[in-house]
Amino acid sequence: MSGNNLQSDAIHIRSASAKNGITTFLVGIVLAIFGIIFIVAFPPLFFLVGILFLSGSIIAFVMGYHKLREPKYSLEITKEAILYHHRKGKWRITWDNIQRVDVPKVHKGIAHVELEMVGFRLRDPDRFLDNISLRLITHLLTEQRPLVTQIIANDCDSGNCYGDEIIDDVNYKCVDGTLKTGVTAIFANRMRKLQQGLGYDIYLSVNDLDRDGSSFVRLLRECQESLLVQQR
């Protein structure tokens, strides 16, 4: 999908993890039917086989339920901003607040390994705090724990291992002097910590995309170039 599409319409990205919700439910129904057949119509020897089918059906139902709960589109790219939609809430990043977007890399020995993420380096991280819902903040704080662990691992490899790095402060002072408290403050401090450790403020999992991280980064750069041409 070309960034030129941004000249007229928004670009919508559907999460790969949200696809096939109905299909997953149908698979659950089929597994449940087979399970009941094995339990009711076959000799007791096949009872455990029926239980396995029923267990698989439960897993399929749960997966289908979560898929169907996801928004139709995980991302909406407009001329003004990038909007992320999640069942827990949403966030918004305006184009003028994006300093850099790329796939974050971490050290693994002497090699650099790409994370299954897309990172956004913001010009004004404080402005982002007013464009994210509290429920989504709570979800992201849990989702991003492996990133914090990665920073700690990198520090330990370099000989600087601090046990309190995983603890986030409950107070945060913005550049303009505004004081943030609660989960917003915790998230703001987490953003700062991730920016210092990995180079980016906001992270988007490739599971929320319909393509790999590098392809999505290329799409965003095409959009940026298209917008710059329109502004000239």
Side-chain angles (χ1 to χ4, degrees):
M1 186 180 299
S2 172
N4 291 332
N5 290 342
L6 206 58
Q7 294 179 358
S8 55
D9 302 314
I11 298 174
H12 293 95
I13 303 294
R14 187 171 187 183
S15 168
S17 61
K19 295 179 180 178
N20 304 318
I22 294 178
T23 301
T24 306
F25 252 112
L26 292 176
V27 170
I29 292 174
V30 172
L31 291 175
I33 292 173
F34 274 106
I36 293 172
I37 291 175
F38 271 96
I39 291 173
V40 175
F42 282 74
L45 180 65
F46 293 92
F47 179 80
L48 288 179
V49 177
I51 293 298
L52 287 176
F53 273 111
L54 288 178
S55 299
S57 72
I58 292 173
I59 294 173
F61 285 139
V62 172
M63 290 177 61
Y65 170 74
H66 285 292
K67 285 176 178 288
L68 292 175
R69 286 186 64 202
E70 293 292 340
K72 183 177 181 180
Y73 299 110
S74 58
L75 284 161
E76 182 181 357
I77 306 172
T78 71
K79 294 180 181 179
E80 293 76 28
I82 301 171
L83 296 93
Y84 172 64
H85 300 277
H86 189 275
R87 67 178 183 274
K88 298 289 186 180
K90 60 184 179 180
W91 57 243
R92 181 176 184 270
I93 303 176
T94 55
W95 287 105
D96 64 340
N97 198 20
I98 297 177
Q99 178 177 336
R100 181 186 175 195
V101 57
D102 210 337
V103 176
K105 298 179 178 64
V106 295
H107 293 284
K108 292 290 185 181
I110 61 174
H112 285 81
V113 179
E114 292 187 345
L115 297 177
E116 293 295 305
M117 295 272 184
V118 171
F120 294 85
R121 177 76 173 260
L122 305 182
R123 291 188 172 90
D124 184 2
D126 294 347
R127 199 199 322 169
F128 176 81
L129 299 175
D130 296 324
N131 291 283
I132 181 171
S133 60
L134 291 177
R135 289 183 66 230
L136 182 56
I137 284 178
T138 303
H139 170 76
L140 291 179
L141 285 172
T142 301
E143 186 180 72
Q144 292 177 350
R145 296 285 288 205
L147 292 177
V148 179
T149 304
Q150 181 65 55
I151 294 174
I152 296 173
N154 289 344
D155 288 341
C156 289
D157 290 342
S158 64
N160 299 312
C161 195
Y162 302 103
D164 61 348
E165 283 297 309
I166 202 167
I167 301 174
D168 296 297
D169 197 348
V170 294
N171 293 293
Y172 176 84
K173 190 173 183 179
C174 300
V175 175
D176 64 2
T178 303
L179 184 65
K180 301 287 186 180
T181 59
V183 293
T184 302
I186 294 174
F187 184 73
N189 285 299
R190 174 73 62 82
M191 286 172 59
R192 180 179 292 173
K193 187 176 300 180
L194 292 176
Q195 193 274 333
Q196 293 172 347
L198 298 176
Y200 302 91
D201 302 279
I202 303 300
Y203 296 81
L204 187 64
S205 171
V206 294
N207 292 327
D208 293 313
L209 308 175
D210 59 359
R211 65 201 74 193
D212 61 73
S214 297
S215 297
F216 183 69
V217 169
R218 286 196 295 272
L219 171 64
L220 293 185
R221 289 174 179 171
E222 287 179 8
C223 292
Q224 284 182 311
E225 292 174 4
S226 176
L227 289 172
L228 287 173
V229 170
Q230 294 177 48
Q231 292 171 4
R232 289 173 185 170

